[in-house]
Amino acid sequence: MSEMEEISHHINDRISSLHRMLDLSVVELPQRKKLGQEFAALKKLLEEFEKCVGRQKERLKQLKELEESFQKDVEDVQHIKENIPAHMPRKKGPTNGGEPIMSQKEATDIQPAQLENVKKTNKSFIREIEVVTMPEFESIPPYMKGRMSYHQLNAAVQSINTAVTAKYKILHQSVKTLSNHARKLHQRFKVQETKDTKGQYFVVEDDIREFTQMKADKRFQGILNMLRHCQRLRELRGGGITRYMLL
């Protein structure tokens, strides 16, 4: 039984007792003294009851404030969930993907066709520049950042990744399957490769112009400086071309 219920029952008992005394006081005068005592006790109980009601009101107020705060947190989390920036890194799943590990005997039974599929998958893999984290962005000197915001820098990273992906998708295809324009691009990509770029991913300014909406202007050079500072790119010059190598 709660504190409020206990006090309420006690008051009702007192009131019932007072009613009986009032009925008896008409014929038994000595009951009037006891009646006064009961009234005093009842007054004290009513004061305690008011205090209890006050405490319950305060608790209710606190609970309402807590409910409002919790509801706001839920709305904030939902908003964040629905508006995750595209450049934010995603959590990668476990390497085994939850699948059972093959035994040595099962591994030796893999057919050549399956091995060929694995080779094709590896060949189709294209590296990308990782997004710049907030601590890395804050480490960039102010003179280098200028008015560039964190989100603008990572949007530029996404654009460069778009150019890298488009370029190497063409390089990974058979020349026979390409259109005339794609064949010309394929030829240019091959000409720009050197012994220093073997096994590396890189783009040049022409690739940025070809595959993105970015302009290779002064602002773009500033972005490249910041990405070099964050160890996302390095420059390789030669043959009149500046290659931006992914790190």
Side-chain angles (χ1 to χ4, degrees):
M1 186 180 294
S2 68
E3 183 181 7
M4 292 279 288
E5 291 175 336
E6 289 179 358
I7 295 176
S8 178
H9 283 302
H10 196 41
I11 290 175
N12 286 331
D13 291 341
R14 289 286 187 173
I15 291 173
S16 297
S17 178
L18 286 172
H19 278 303
R20 288 195 297 271
M21 288 183 183
L22 285 172
D23 292 339
L24 293 172
S25 65
V26 178
V27 293
E28 297 183 17
L29 294 177
Q31 290 289 340
R32 292 184 179 179
K33 183 178 180 180
K34 190 175 181 181
L35 184 62
Q37 294 173 347
E38 288 292 337
F39 271 120
L42 182 59
K43 181 180 179 182
K44 186 177 180 181
L45 281 173
L46 288 173
E47 290 174 353
E48 184 65 28
F49 187 75
E50 289 177 355
K51 291 179 182 178
C52 185
V53 170
R55 288 194 296 270
Q56 294 297 331
K57 285 183 177 179
E58 185 63 27
R59 288 177 185 174
L60 182 61
K61 181 182 177 182
Q62 293 173 354
L63 287 173
K64 286 184 177 180
E65 291 175 352
L66 183 61
E67 181 185 15
E68 291 174 359
S69 176
F70 180 75
Q71 184 62 34
K72 186 178 183 301
D73 290 341
V74 171
E75 292 174 357
D76 290 344
V77 170
Q78 186 63 29
H79 176 74
I80 293 172
K81 181 180 178 182
E82 294 174 353
N83 296 274
I84 297 177
H87 61 261
M88 290 295 290
R90 305 284 179 167
K91 184 178 178 181
K92 296 181 179 179
T95 54
N96 63 2
E99 297 177 358
I101 300 174
M102 288 188 298
S103 66
Q104 185 175 357
K105 182 179 183 301
E106 290 173 329
T108 59
D109 292 336
I110 296 179
Q111 299 298 319
Q114 292 175 292
L115 291 174
E116 187 65 26
N117 288 336
V118 172
K119 291 180 181 179
K120 289 181 180 179
T121 301
N122 291 337
K123 188 177 179 181
S124 64
F125 170 76
I126 298 174
R127 278 192 58 196
E128 290 188 344
I129 303 174
E130 293 184 359
V131 297
V132 177
T133 64
M134 183 57 75
E136 288 175 322
F137 180 76
E138 292 175 348
S139 73
I140 300 173
Y143 77 87
M144 191 180 292
K145 280 191 291 191
R147 296 183 178 180
M148 179 71 63
S149 71
Y150 172 72
H151 295 293
Q152 287 174 332
L153 179 59
N154 276 319
V157 169
Q158 288 296 99
S159 293
I160 295 173
N161 282 336
T162 298
V164 173
T165 301
K167 172 183 176 178
Y168 284 92
K169 276 186 177 180
I170 292 174
L171 283 173
H172 288 169
Q173 293 183 51
S174 171
V175 178
K176 294 179 181 179
T177 64
L178 299 175
S179 64
N180 290 334
H181 180 65
R183 285 183 183 181
K184 291 179 181 178
L185 290 174
H186 188 282
Q187 185 178 5
R188 173 167 67 80
F189 298 155
K190 286 296 185 180
V191 169
Q192 292 170 350
E193 292 179 352
T194 68
K195 63 179 182 179
D196 295 322
T197 65
K198 187 176 181 180
Q200 304 294 319
Y201 288 78
F202 71 91
V203 290
V204 300
E205 290 185 2
D206 285 342
D207 300 330
I208 300 298
R209 297 188 188 95
E210 179 72 31
F211 300 114
T212 75
Q213 299 297 318
M214 291 179 66
K215 296 180 179 179
D217 52 12
K218 185 177 179 180
R219 181 174 180 271
F220 177 70
Q221 293 301 322
I223 291 170
L224 295 177
N225 288 337
M226 286 186 277
L227 293 178
R228 283 198 297 271
H229 175 83
C230 296
Q231 298 183 351
R232 294 298 191 274
L233 295 173
R234 70 179 178 88
E235 285 188 3
L236 179 65
R237 297 175 183 270
I241 300 173
T242 302
R243 300 162 182 83
Y244 303 105
M245 313 280 289
L246 275 64
L247 298 178

